[in-house]
Amino acid sequence: MQAILEIAKLTFSDAIRNKIFYGVFIFLIMLLLTAIALASVTMGRTELMIMDLGLGSISILGNLMAIIITIQSLQQERESRTLYVLITRLEQRWKYIIGKFSGLAAVLSIQIILMCLLLALCIVMFGGIYWQSYMQACFTTILEIWIIIGIALLFAQSSSLFLAILLTLAVDIAGRFTFAIRQLGEQSDNPALQFLTQAMYYILPNLEAVNLRNQAGYIVQYEWPQLLQICTYSMSEIALLLCICSFIFSRKNLS
């Protein structure tokens, strides 16, 4: 447990020092200011427009940051030989994966929370919304980011930075259209295509299952049993990804 915490702390501190974070916050502030400017000349519920634009931007930026920071972190440690030093001090390699995930999840969760608070301040300037559904959307966005970290950790073990980012982005995008992929197979008469789409539906992480941003700000809200179901699915998906990552990493030749 001590080894996992040390790796998590090291990962957290390295990610905090990454200058990409500052650029993301500047971009988000500019985006929110643009949304406020556009919303001020529109008719209707201005706060809902700001919230929709803000939550969408937070999700996109959070996903990109999770992919880039995760893959970059592993690649840099491999190039600087820090990875090999850490591995020699661990009894089991899977502790490195768990520690890495914990540190990245912590720093990205803090980033998402700060962004959501900033967005909430902008919303308050124009009116009120149903905050329970907004907080539920923010919470599930964090769960979504954790799943993306797990996917990025899986592909970050490849030797190519570009390939790792490309594969993670592909799974990220495909994971948002799993239902459409399944429908495509059901409408086809080709047995091979039906089998392929069914396999993709069950293998790919269903990221839309943890997306509550469309209901944010409205009176529609999820009850505790539904939220528990979303949390259970997210944690199960994360656990599966980490198990696969640990299995591959434990048997990977690092020499």
Side-chain angles (χ1 to χ4, degrees), residues 25-63:
F25 277 108
I26 293 173
F27 178 78
L28 180 65
I29 292 172
M30 292 176 61
L31 185 63
L32 291 175
L33 290 175
T34 303
I36 293 172
L38 290 174
S40 62
V41 296
T42 60
M43 299 182 64
R45 297 195 62 181
T46 304
E47 62 275 13
L48 289 178
M49 180 179 178
I50 296 173
M51 184 194 61
D52 290 339
L53 288 172
L55 285 176
S57 302
I58 289 172
S59 175
I60 293 172
L61 289 172
N63 277 266

Side-chain angles (χ1 to χ4, degrees), residues 72-238:
Q72 189 182 60
S73 177
L74 264 72
Q75 294 287 343
Q76 285 180 347
E77 287 188 356
R78 182 181 298 163
E79 292 175 0
S80 64
R81 314 296 291 184
T82 306
L83 172 62
Y84 305 100
V85 176
L86 292 173
I87 293 301
T88 56
R89 299 180 179 179
L90 295 176
E91 296 177 0
Q92 295 91 15
R93 288 188 181 183
W94 61 266
K95 294 182 179 180
Y96 174 82
I97 296 295
I98 303 300
K100 204 71 178 172
F101 173 83
S102 302
L104 291 168
V107 73
L108 287 168
S109 297
I110 292 173
Q111 181 193 24
I112 297 299
I113 291 172
L114 291 176
M115 287 181 174
C116 290
L117 290 175
L118 178 62
L119 177 59
L121 291 176
C122 294
I123 295 172
V124 170
M125 294 171 58
F126 288 90
I129 60 173
Y130 293 98
W131 290 104
Q132 184 173 346
S133 58
Y134 174 78
M135 289 187 291
Q136 289 175 350
C138 294
F139 173 69
T140 53
T141 299
I142 294 175
L143 294 178
E144 176 187 321
I145 298 301
W146 289 0
I147 295 175
I148 298 299
I149 295 173
I151 298 172
L153 280 173
L154 178 62
F155 293 114
Q157 300 182 50
S158 66
S159 57
S160 171
L161 176 65
F162 175 76
L163 180 62
I165 294 177
L166 184 63
L167 290 173
T168 307
L169 279 173
V171 174
D172 184 1
I173 295 172
R176 303 180 189 280
F177 296 96
T178 52
F179 184 72
I181 292 173
R182 184 179 185 180
Q183 282 188 323
L184 176 65
E186 291 176 349
Q187 295 172 2
S188 174
D189 295 329
N190 189 333
L193 181 59
Q194 291 178 354
F195 175 80
L196 178 62
T197 53
Q198 284 289 333
M200 292 178 65
Y201 176 78
Y202 288 107
I203 293 174
L204 291 172
N206 188 358
L207 296 176
E208 280 303 302
V210 296
N211 178 14
L212 299 184
R213 288 183 294 276
N214 294 332
Q215 294 81 19
Y218 296 93
I219 195 169
V220 178
Q221 59 195 28
Y222 278 70
E223 299 297 332
W224 285 112
Q226 294 169 304
L227 284 176
L228 181 60
Q229 184 177 5
I230 293 174
C231 290
T232 302
Y233 171 77
S234 301
M235 294 304 174
S236 300
E237 190 69 40
I238 292 168

